Amino acid sequence: MYRFSRTFSCLISIRFPPEKMDKSSTLLVHYDKGTPAVAKEIKEALEGNDVEAKVDAMKKAVMLLLNGETIPQLFITIIRYVLPSEDHTIQKLLLLYLELIEKTDSKGKVLPEMILICQNLRNNLMHPNEYIRGVTLRFLCRLKETEIVEPLTPSVLQNLEHRHPFVRRNAILAVMSIYKLPNGEQLFVDAPEMIEKALSTEQDPSAKRNAFLMLFTCAEERAVYYLLSNVDKVSDWNESLQMVVLELIRSVCKTKPAEKGKYIKIIISLLSATSSAVIYECAGTLVSLSSAPTAIRAAANTYCQLLLSQSDNNVKLILLDRLSELKSSHRDIMVELIIDVLRVLSSPNLDIRRKTLDIALDLITHHNINEVVQMLKKEVVKTQSGELEKNGEYRQMLIQAIHACAVKFPEVASTVVHLLMDFLGDSNVASALDVISFVREIIETNPKLRVSIITRLLDTFYQIRAGKVCPCALWIIGEYCLSLSEVENGISTIKQCLGELPFYSVSEESAPTETSKKIQPTSSAMVSSRKPVILADGTYATQSAASETTFSTPTVVQGALTSGNLRALLLTGDFFLGAVVACTLTKLVLRLEEVQSSKTEVNKTVTQALLIMVSMLQLGQSPASPHPIDNDSYERIVLCIKLLCHRNDEMKKIWLESCRQSFVKMISEKQLREMEELKAKTQTTHAQPDDLIDFFHLKSRKGMSQLELEDQVQDDLKRATGEFTKDENDANKLNRILQLTGFSDPVYAEAYVTVHHYDIALEVTVINRTKETLQNLCLELATMGDLKLVERPQNYSLAPATSMQIKANIKVSSTETGVIFGNIVYETSNVMERNVVVLNDIHIDIMDYISPAVCSDVAFRTMWAEFEWENKVAVNTKIENEREFLDHIIKSTNMKCLTGPSELEGECGFLAANLYAKSVFGEDALVNVSIEKQTDGALSGYIRIRSKTQGIALSLGDKITLKQKGSS
């Protein structure tokens, strides 16, 4: 049996399903680690002569150290039996072990036994094998104890001239690490000079890169001098060295912005490098240093070339992100490259295509619209081949892009609308819906295209097979068929698509059937007839004769093979479509009455329309239908029948004018909403009256290149317009400061929390309020939810009445409300026990992850049907106004209301609205608010949240539950 030395307890929080959210529980899990027994096994293996057993034992020891164990009893064994080993694997594991063990005591002094390893390290640095030397030098890069490193400095310097490049490159890194130690400059007084000398003679690319990095880190002036002395050779240097050069340029230009002109020339020369990584970094550096049109154009061209040359989809997405950033700040320059950007549509990846189209749509102008539309039309034609997967989805994206182009620039609508109408019968219903929505908007906004669109729609109407597309097409026919010929063609088209009447017939059968039994109580009945007869005695009497008659069974009449699409959809039970057919026929008949002088023709058409409507009602009420007609459709058809039977001018005005006016109002609101969104995206900048403006016209232009002149102009414009603005004002920063301890605690702590996409940065300010020095002060943090700590906590020493800042980084993996908790542990000189100060919990708000977004109603309904996670929150608020409550929910959830203002107008006691937001992880959050005002004035109803993942649905529901009661 193992002896257990430590006991660990793990607290696991259990989350119940939504219906049991009010319950919570904590499970205590007991976990023991048998350190002494394991240490004994490791010790026995290390003392043996088996090399493989020693390797396994060292791996176990390293794993224990990584898990937080100390195992000090193994140190002497490793010194005696592992240190003399010549095996390379064992030596490498030994260095890992020495890197992980504690080398100082509680007061920060080096342990005496650490001196034992110094001689071994010196021997390794002089070892004849270059691998042993190299790994030992790499180990020295991780040592922070000056007392251990100091005796080894002569040996390190000797390795700078070793014949093997592996040793030299690690020796340079060791010199750099030692030089950066607190007293490192005293150990290597002339280290920069030695490295500079080695750099001038070094031929190995990696060693040369390390030497230049050392100068950049420790003696920036020498690195700059070397760079400027070898400007002509920079393009021939190794890729890794060029990357360090770019890093140096960014650092120098940040501290000395006036000198960036001479460095930009170096960057532009590196744009022709062979390495894609160097070219990408050059473009990014160029954008960060200069806003001159020449520099931005060169960077954008570089990104476009990389887009076409790289095959990795992730790389392409990153490049598109960079182009999107350039688009937001330098749109005028990006407009010139729109065709180069659209060439990326050749990629089969849908995400790349979608992002490319989003960028291109924001770069459309009157000058390039024709080229863009022509290119999009070619892509649409390519999707008809059917060779690639997901052609339907790609076609839908192209149709939406063309729709956006036609809305912005109506003059191009005539060149695309007829091409797109060929896809009304597309098997992809979403694509066909986009086409018919596009046609509906274009026919209203472009009156000149009305005749051609109506003619084409009537010719292709029979191709439409989707039940969701037909109603919209019928509405267009009913609203925009204005002339006599158009109205007659519209009625004729509908009649042809409906086929012959009736929709079902009664077929006679010799035998009773189950259906006939449902229609009548019995399947047959006795039919009696009476006639007078003369009896035998000569008197008159009446004789009854009975015969058995068989009832008939109704069956659906499918019609001929050429029967239209409307008939097929009606026979499947789509009576909503039947109601739309009735409304369309009613509008066409009312308009025919206005344009047709012959009343006979009008009455004939009215009779035919009434026959169609009655036939649809009979079908809906017959057992031949898959399901009976719904009440709404039934009432709508009956209303149309009554209207055709009793026509009047007031009803004509409502049916022929009001519907169109409502549609026009909807389009106007949509355009207004798009303009507001565009205005919101535009960055508003303000300049202070006393901001410095440096007029370059008054400066000497001697020695300045054209690029420097352009850059100076752009800087002046930015200062004049106030574009140099801070990312966040002081008020917002104060709102993000959280107090972690009390004012009476010996250690006061507060945190400034910054949430940036996938990272949470904590800047914790710790103040020692005691009169003693706090030793081994450690900030221990833990997380709940999908949060993960990046770094292990470090120990610090804090003098009396002083403060320090401790930074911690946390990775976020999903949109869920997380909790960060922990404590501060420290020791004092008087008390050897560790003191603990428990910190307040830091709740990471879901609002930091989501932002308002916009999607179409069709996309919203599609996602609402697909998403499986739903959280239903009952309305419980003191707010009595429906609109006020909706505004409060929108503000509290940071979501966008998709329901238009006109749809929310009026006071009817009911309100329904859709809200939408998107998280930084690409997750969609859908919310439906449905509320009703009760007789006592209180609001009741439900707020339903749907998402693809459970976390966002639950977190958003918790947020709404807390916030819906109103501001308090």
Side-chain angles (χ1 to χ4, degrees), residues 134-135 137 164 289 351 374 383 488 609 614 739 772 778 807 889 904:
V135 295
L137 287 165
H164 202 283
L289 297 183
D351 292 329
Q374 193 66 27
T383 60
E488 290 176 346
V614 172
Q739 183 178 341
E772 298 178 310
C778 180
K807 294 185 178 181
I889 293 297
L904 300 174

Side-chain angles (χ1 to χ4, degrees), residues 60 199 234 321 463 659 662 672 736 778 804 837 840 849 868 895 914:
K60 290 180 182 179
L199 178 61
V234 173
D321 285 337
Q463 298 176 357
C659 294
S662 299
L672 183 63
R736 293 185 174 275
C778 180
M804 67 179 304
V837 178
N840 292 331
Y849 304 137
E868 55 184 356
M895 303 187 79
N914 294 330

Side-chain angles (χ1 to χ4, degrees), residues 570-727:
L570 280 173
L571 294 180
T572 59
D574 190 353
F575 292 106
F576 172 75
L577 178 60
V580 177
V581 170
C583 293
T584 304
L585 287 173
T586 303
K587 291 179 182 179
L588 292 175
V589 169
L590 293 176
R591 189 161 283 116
L592 180 66
E593 193 174 13
E594 291 183 350
V595 299
Q596 175 63 267
S597 59
S598 174
K599 291 187 177 181
T600 306
E601 292 296 328
V602 174
N603 292 334
K604 182 181 178 181
T605 307
V606 170
T607 305
Q608 293 173 349
L610 290 173
L611 180 59
I612 292 172
M613 296 177 196
V614 172
S615 298
M616 289 190 293
L617 289 177
Q618 288 179 341
L619 176 64
Q621 294 177 336
S622 74
S625 175
H627 56 79
I629 187 172
D630 58 283
N631 292 333
D632 291 339
S633 300
Y634 178 84
E635 292 175 2
R636 192 72 171 170
I637 297 174
V638 170
L639 176 64
C640 293
I641 294 173
K642 290 180 180 179
L643 178 60
L644 290 180
C645 294
H646 307 282
R647 301 185 293 278
N648 58 71
D649 295 338
E650 185 179 351
M651 295 302 295
K652 283 184 182 180
K653 183 178 180 181
I654 293 174
W655 279 71
L656 299 181
E657 296 180 12
S658 299
C659 294
R660 178 91 64 86
Q661 291 171 0
S662 299
F663 179 60
V664 171
K665 186 178 180 181
M666 186 186 79
I667 292 179
S668 301
E669 290 181 352
K670 178 185 175 184
Q671 294 174 346
L672 183 63
R673 194 159 54 242
E674 290 175 352
M675 289 177 62
E676 290 176 353
E677 291 171 4
L678 185 63
K679 191 180 295 184
K681 288 181 182 178
T682 305
Q683 184 179 5
T684 303
T685 56
H686 302 282
Q688 296 298 325
D690 56 347
D691 284 352
L692 177 64
I693 299 178
D694 190 3
F695 293 98
F696 85 102
H697 301 281
L698 305 179
K699 283 186 174 182
S700 173
R701 303 189 187 185
K702 187 177 180 180
M704 293 182 70
S705 65
Q706 182 63 28
L707 183 62
E708 292 177 85
L709 292 174
E710 290 179 4
D711 198 32
Q712 188 66 48
V713 172
Q714 293 298 320
D715 287 349
D716 290 347
L717 288 174
K718 287 183 177 180
R719 288 189 181 93
T721 57
E723 196 166 331
F724 292 130
T725 56
K726 294 182 179 179
D727 294 335

Side-chain angles (χ1 to χ4, degrees), residues 14 33 200 331 348 361 383 389 428 444 446 755 757 841:
I14 300 177
K33 291 186 178 181
S200 59
R331 183 179 181 276
L361 289 177
T383 60
E389 296 181 2
N428 185 355
E444 173 59 38
N446 293 264
V755 179
H757 295 303
D841 294 347

Side-chain angles (χ1 to χ4, degrees), residues 272-324:
S272 57
T274 56
S275 170
S276 299
V278 172
I279 296 173
Y280 173 79
E281 286 295 329
C282 279
T285 305
L286 203 57
V287 172
S288 64
L289 297 183
S290 174
S291 56
T294 304
I296 300 301
R297 192 174 290 108
N301 277 319
T302 301
Y303 288 143
C304 292
Q305 291 171 8
L306 289 173
L307 273 172
L308 298 175
S309 62
Q310 298 299 308
S311 58
D312 192 300
N313 289 337
N314 293 321
V315 173
K316 290 187 176 182
L317 288 171
I318 292 171
L319 290 167
L320 287 171
D321 285 337
R322 300 292 84 76
L323 287 173
S324 181

